[in-house]
Amino acid sequence: MTSARAELLARLRDRAARLGDAPLVVAGDTVTGARELLARTEAKVRALGELGVGPGALVGTVAGPPAEFISDVFAIIEAGGVAVPLSRKLTRWELDRLQEGCPLDFLAAPPESPLTLAGPVTGCGDRALSRGPGRNRPAFAEAATAQLTSGTTGRPRVALRPAAALLAEADHYRDALRLTPRTTLLCPVPLQHAYGFGLCALAAPLAGAPVRHLPPDRPRMLLRELAAGDVALFVGVPPMLRLLAKSARGPVPAGRPVGFLSAGMALDAHTAEQVAVRLGGNVGEVYGTTETGPICVRAPRPWRPGLRRPGAPLPGVKVTLAPVPGDAPEAGAGTGSGDATRADATGPRDATGPGAGPGAGTGLVTVESPSMMLGYADGDAVDTGPSRGGFTTGDLARWEGDDLVLAGRLSTCINVAGAKVSPEEVEAVLLAWPEVASCLVTGVPDPVLGQRVSATVTPETVDLAALDRFCRERLSDSRTPHTFAAVAELPTTETGKVIRPRNDQ
């Protein structure tokens, strides 16, 4: 067993010794203390070992109930296996699809779950553990987790991460957010999601920070929990924050401002303002990927107009802005890290005024980090190519001082007569219109310009003529949507992120 694997459980043991029965994981009326979480984990380690779980074995675990899932993850890693976090909403078809590309050797799920593998089912603590066909994967021996990418713009891939990367991620969150046993988190984010997994299933338990888990679609319940006054950090995503702010009758009456943390997609200025004004909270943001772990973590602070996001890279994380394919090299491209070292000799570039797109000083984000993956699962092998020399996220960004400012994704850029338009930046303008709940901006073919911008918004009652006027006051001609549509709903992921169609669809 590697020292990093042993360190994960050693830290949990230390927390159990220090905290005893103090609540660590709370889900509804079920309260699990640190000592009980450790006991469940150690019992599962023994059971997994007896069932043959060892280096390279892929063990899927359904992300719920929270205490069972978290103890599964620590136990699988301690037993030498590879934990594969899976959604509670995973369908049989999706499981079969996963088995085609990356077959699980074992699957841990609630006893009542219909999700099982083809082999026999045995008990593992309060979980039902079913067996798959089993296979020898020596290439996976270094991996501690196999995490599915979101797949919002293509088929999900499986990122293999070592235990040392998980420790680095936990340390980054602990230090950036100052997590301690006195920091209570409220988490409605699914735990298999890279953000929820890294912060609430990994970093918080290791820091001894208690986490309360609630469903994301119950804003009134979330607001009541916030009003109790002891929650320090709300772990959310932009659609959830918008719903919460819309449902609030006034600022959360807590003794101190709650920190509202956002991740999973860009946090637009209008949503940040609504959190500050309607909820009376501080606003923070996480930028990261499943493959790299967190890249930037800006702790919650009072919101102010013009605040650049997501901020400086974490200590030890090196960010390089590589040239955008097809563009001439920009003087503003360079590197940055937690030590604020940069290769940009021209100083800050301001490309944020009206009509500015992902142009001057913009590059492709490439990351080298202690929390990044080994590579992608490729059959029974590990494809290390995407990690070699740094992982290119596909995000476009620019430097402003030592802060990284995101400008969309290369794969979704719309080419309007040669001008690259970031749909994410146009969507931020649409979301500032009070009637718009969610939106999707895409490119549609145009015989003269190549592409034009098209916008779809929800709900279907949005006044499109008024929205058109609103956009024309704020966007240049190439970025203003040429067509608008209003629909009742848009397809989303489990966290509320609108699913963007692939460019080849």
Side-chain angles (χ1 to χ4, degrees):
M1 182 186 300
T2 65
S3 58
R5 283 183 188 268
E7 176 67 13
L8 282 165
L9 197 59
R11 290 194 188 185
L12 195 63
R13 289 193 179 101
D14 178 71
R15 283 301 165 194
R18 291 170 181 266
L19 299 175
D21 296 324
L24 199 58
V25 183
V26 180
D29 296 330
T30 304
V31 179
T32 305
R35 194 180 351 239
E36 182 183 348
L37 185 68
L38 176 64
R40 291 190 192 190
T41 300
E42 291 181 328
K44 289 177 180 179
V45 172
R46 294 189 293 271
L48 292 171
E50 293 170 359
L51 292 168
V53 172
L58 292 176
V59 186
T61 170
V62 176
E68 292 295 343
F69 170 72
I70 294 168
S71 58
D72 279 355
V73 169
F74 280 98
I76 293 163
I77 295 172
E78 173 74 5
V82 185
V84 187
L86 300 172
S87 170
R88 298 179 73 165
K89 297 183 178 180
L90 190 75
T91 66
R92 180 78 244 179
W93 181 87
E94 289 168 332
L95 176 61
D96 291 343
R97 190 172 185 233
L98 174 63
Q99 289 296 90
E100 292 173 4
C102 188
L104 300 176
D105 301 302
F106 299 88
L107 175 60
E112 68 276 8
S113 172
L115 298 177
T116 58
L117 302 180
V121 179
T122 56
C124 183
D126 290 334
R127 304 287 261 181
L129 191 75
S130 56
R131 290 175 178 261
R135 56 206 298 169
N136 184 26
R137 296 187 185 89
F140 288 10
E142 289 186 53
T145 60
Q147 294 169 248
L148 277 64
T149 62
S150 65
T152 54
T153 57
R155 186 178 181 126
R157 301 192 71 180
V158 181
L160 298 165
R161 300 176 69 207
L166 304 182
L167 283 171
E169 178 172 17
D171 289 346
H172 276 150
Y173 277 126
R174 180 198 63 204
D175 296 344
L177 300 173
R178 298 181 180 180
L179 300 179
T180 73
R182 294 181 296 278
T183 310
T184 298
L185 287 72
L186 183 58
C187 177
V189 173
L191 288 181
Q192 85 282 352
H193 188 274
Y195 168 45
F197 180 83
L199 177 53
C200 296
L202 190 68
L206 292 180
V211 182
R212 297 178 189 168
H213 300 266
L214 287 174
D217 56 350
R218 303 288 294 277
R220 294 292 181 195
M221 182 185 295
L222 293 170
L223 288 169
R224 283 197 298 272
E225 197 72 26
L226 289 170
D230 58 346
V231 171
L233 191 63
F234 181 92
V235 181
V237 293
M240 194 180 299
L241 295 177
R242 287 193 289 273
L243 179 62
L244 205 63
K246 184 178 180 180
S247 302
R249 295 192 176 96
V252 176
R256 57 178 177 172
V258 174
F260 290 86
L261 196 65
S262 177
M265 63 203 80
L267 176 64
D268 59 282
H270 179 68
T271 299
E273 181 182 19
Q274 289 297 297
V275 168
V277 174
R278 294 184 62 84
L279 297 173
N282 293 333
V283 184
E285 189 168 9
V286 175
Y287 167 54
T289 69
T290 304
E291 293 89 345
T292 64
I295 298 167
C296 305
V297 178
R298 185 169 56 80
R301 64 184 71 171
W303 178 84
R304 57 180 173 81
L307 186 66
R308 298 297 173 228
R309 297 176 300 273
L314 289 159
V317 177
K318 181 181 178 182
V319 173
T320 302
L321 298 188
V324 178
D327 281 2
E330 293 286 353
T335 62
S337 72
D339 299 322
T341 56
R342 304 197 39 225
D344 177 3
T346 65
R349 299 288 298 272
D350 184 5
T352 60
T362 299
L364 270 171
V365 176
T366 301
V367 180
E368 296 176 64
S369 171
S371 63
M372 68 191 301
M373 68 175 181
L374 299 166
Y376 290 119
D378 183 11
D380 293 341
V382 181
D383 178 9
T384 60
S387 298
R388 200 175 301 126
F391 177 76
T392 300
T393 67
D395 295 315
L396 296 166
R398 56 183 174 266
W399 292 112
E400 294 192 8
D402 294 318
D403 289 343
L404 192 68
V405 179
L406 298 178
R409 289 187 62 81
L410 178 64
S411 62
T412 61
C413 265
I414 303 166
N415 194 328
V416 181
K420 290 186 175 68
V421 177
S422 164
E424 291 85 357
E425 291 191 334
V426 178
E427 287 166 355
V429 174
L430 294 172
L431 289 169
W433 183 246
E435 294 180 24
V436 174
S438 64
C439 61
L440 175 66
V441 170
T442 58
V444 294
D446 183 89
V448 176
L449 301 178
Q451 284 184 301
R452 282 186 181 270
V453 179
S454 175
T456 304
V457 299
T458 70
E460 55 194 351
T461 55
V462 172
D463 184 337
L464 297 182
L467 180 60
D468 184 20
R469 292 192 296 272
F470 178 79
C471 289
R472 291 183 185 281
E473 293 172 356
R474 288 159 176 78
L475 295 169
S476 60
D477 289 344
S478 63
R479 300 172 76 204
T480 301
H482 180 64
T483 59
F484 288 89
V487 297
E489 60 183 19
L490 286 163
T492 65
T493 64
E494 196 172 343
T495 59
K497 184 176 183 178
V498 174
I499 298 174
R500 196 176 299 280
R502 294 171 59 181
N503 285 343
D504 58 357
Q505 289 181 334

